[in-house]
Amino acid sequence: PIPPETSVHSISNLMKRWFKSFQGERLLGSIPLSAFKDTQTPPVDDYVQEPRLSIFKWLVQLLLETHKHESVNMMNSRNLGTPTTQSF
């Protein structure tokens, strides 16, 4: 468990550093821009290989779960986007 006195900024910074530590391209970097031509949500499974696919799915679940408790943790969609968008 995370101690109650822990700053949300510290957690956000840790997340950002962890995702930046990945070597090579970003999690969704292998999806060509043309895949977004007909839809905003191309089938990620067709473009992203393991282990990046599992990490991406885990990250989405984490973000959804964190956002669900926004009133308590102050992590709205904008605050969640700050440490994670550079990873995508």
Side-chain angles (χ1 to χ4, degrees), residues 39-57:
T39 179
Q40 290 183 348
T41 55
V44 175
D45 295 11
D46 292 351
Y47 298 99
V48 180
Q49 304 299 316
E50 292 294 343
R52 292 184 187 283
L53 181 60
S54 292
I55 294 169
F56 171 73
K57 290 179 178 182

Side-chain angles (χ1 to χ4, degrees), residues 65-77:
E65 185 65 27
T66 304
H67 188 269
K68 192 185 325 181
H69 303 284
E70 168 185 8
S71 62
V72 177
N73 61 28
M74 298 181 286
M75 294 300 284
N76 59 28
S77 56

Side-chain angles (χ1 to χ4, degrees), residues 3-77:
E5 66 274 4
T6 303
S7 165
V8 294
H9 301 288
S10 297
I11 294 170
S12 175
N13 194 32
L14 285 172
M15 288 174 61
K16 183 169 53 173
R17 287 175 183 243
W18 186 71
F19 282 106
K20 277 186 173 183
S21 71
F22 292 137
Q23 296 182 0
E25 64 186 31
R26 295 176 178 176
L27 286 176
L28 302 180
S30 58
I31 300 177
L33 291 178
S34 60
F36 294 93
K37 183 177 179 183
D38 297 326
T39 179
Q40 290 183 348
T41 55
V44 175
D45 295 11
D46 292 351
Y47 298 99
V48 180
Q49 304 299 316
E50 292 294 343
R52 292 184 187 283
L53 181 60
S54 292
I55 294 169
F56 171 73
K57 290 179 178 182
W58 171 82
L59 175 59
V60 170
Q61 290 173 344
L62 174 67
L63 293 173
L64 290 171
E65 185 65 27
T66 304
H67 188 269
K68 192 185 325 181
H69 303 284
E70 168 185 8
S71 62
V72 177
N73 61 28
M74 298 181 286
M75 294 300 284
N76 59 28
S77 56

